[in-house]
Amino acid sequence: MPSQPLYLQLAGHYRQAMEAGTLRPGDRMPALRVLSERHGVSLSTALQTCRHLESLGWLEARPRSGYFVQSSVRPRLEPVPEPRAVLPNPAQYVGIHERVSSVVVRGRLAPVRFNLGGAAASAPLYPCEALRAASVRALRREPALWGQSVPHTGHPAFCAAVAKHLLSSGIVTAPREVIVTHGGTEALALALRAVGRPGDVVAIESPAYYGLLQLLESLGLRALEIPTSGHTGLSLEALDLAAASYEGIRAVVFVPHLQNPLGATMPAERRRQLVQWCEAHDIVLIEDDTFGPLYDADTPLPAAKSFDTTGNVIHCASLHKVLAPGMRLGWVLPGRWRSRIEMLKFTQSRGNEVLSQLAAADFIGSGSFERHLQRLRARLRRHRDWMAAAIAAGFPQGTRLSQPRGGVHLWLELPPGTPSESVFDAALHEGIRVAPGLMFSNSRRFDHCLRINCGLPPTPELGQALRRLGRIVAEAR
Ligand SMILES: Cc1ncc(COP(=O)(O)O)c(C=O)c1O
């Protein structure tokens, strides 16, 4: 961008090198003199470049040694503690819908400068230009697209791309088994409607994604909140205890990678145990792998579905967080509920529109998807580390922080007695939106917690907003 000051252009150049992994954590930046000669800029511009990158958390200055790429910042805060092994109570989700909706509406109505309340990355992190080009190509190939009706369970090209993509999670499925949905939300709704009747009990993680809580309430299902570790996810021991105490658990819903909001990832062996346990207890397992491709590894861990030999696991996922929030594309692998889920999809919403499926199929099939995911994970890692450091520096003592291995959110336990709803309102007043803990459970156990989105790029302004948020937390106690 020629109108940008030189130091910003140069900083952008080195930032890209760090995001691409050309310059890695701990690497020494070229000396100021080298920068100046290499790029034909003055020494003071070279210094300004490094200082700017330092202020954004990309570089650290070491006395008499120069600038180094910031090594992965370990949060200085204590990690979120393990859950207490309390026996859960099956709660009827009456009221949670209202509570969550009220928070969502308040957040929407207020003018927001820093949206830390969402669960996706910021728009520039998604490959919008490549998807635009893929959409144009699709319309060129099929100019009469808008005049045609859509396949009910998904376009074959997209189903084939999804089936191929799922191989990386160890799932081997035929494209015809994939049912395309309006995001993960419809996938979950179809799965729950297929297996549950109003009044049935569904075991879920606690805390859980608030959209699931709303869904359960709207379907008249009763949720049983199972203690969940911030490291290993749903407690299988607590689940076993719950099943011994409450008869008639119909299904278990769990998030294998980067659970929302805790950020936990269940180890592969525990996934296998969960699949076997559900099978042995005749309980349906609904796997919601919304965040799998954001897990910080070249391949995700094997999905629970990959251990399923009987069709008892229903696997749901979406492209919302990983490729294109604007597409609203998801899918469900229905296991042995295929005909019922197909029928429900037909009665609920018919098929998805085709253009976005074709664009996504083109992008996924071209190999660009893998490259995009690698870049996205690297950027998110930086953003998370930077944000964890900013929170550690600006929040009061006693704050605890999750340590997710990937993804777009951090979970904070504020010092005991800090009401997250007051923090939410006070922050909103200053143009900062967060997700208060009360949205994630029907119990009041997480009222002193916050979920913060870390998909925004680091900027000095965001740093200031986080410091302000830290002060709001301190004042709210
Ligand atoms: C765990 C989890 N499942 C499902 C969803 C919904 O996915 P989608 O936005 O694709 O409908 C979300 C969204 O935040 C989520 O966090």
Side-chain angles (χ1 to χ4, degrees), residues 232 234-237 266-275:
T232 54
L234 185 81
S235 162
L236 304 190
E237 297 71 19
M266 185 184 276
E269 187 45 35
R270 284 179 85 81
R271 296 179 190 189
R272 185 201 300 274
Q273 288 167 7
L274 178 60
V275 172

Side-chain angles (χ1 to χ4, degrees), residues 159-160 162-164 166 171-179 333-334 338:
C159 295
V162 169
K164 209 161 165 192
L166 288 173
I171 299 176
V172 180
T173 188
R176 66 174 180 283
E177 286 302 311
V178 177
I179 296 179
L333 302 184
R338 165 132 208 133

Side-chain angles (χ1 to χ4, degrees), residues 118-120 182-188 205 208-212 255 257-261 288-291 317-321 325 328-330 409 451:
H182 296 283
T185 304
E186 190 184 37
L188 282 172
E205 296 151 324
Y209 162 53
Y210 62 78
L212 175 63
V255 179
H257 289 103
L258 307 169
Q259 195 262 0
N260 182 2
D288 172 9
D289 200 11
T290 296
F291 297 99
S318 105
L319 294 180
H320 180 159
K321 321 291 178 189
R328 299 298 306 143
L329 269 183
H409 52 261
R451 190 194 69 187

Side-chain angles (χ1 to χ4, degrees), residues 220-238:
L221 295 166
R222 292 188 301 144
L224 186 60
E225 292 193 35
I226 305 294
T228 299
S229 155
H231 303 288
T232 54
L234 185 81
S235 162
L236 304 190
E237 297 71 19

Side-chain angles (χ1 to χ4, degrees), residues 240-264:
D240 198 43
L241 193 61
S245 314
Y246 302 106
E247 287 209 342
I249 297 177
R250 182 67 190 117
V252 174
V253 183
F254 92 113
V255 179
H257 289 103
L258 307 169
Q259 195 262 0
N260 182 2
L262 290 173

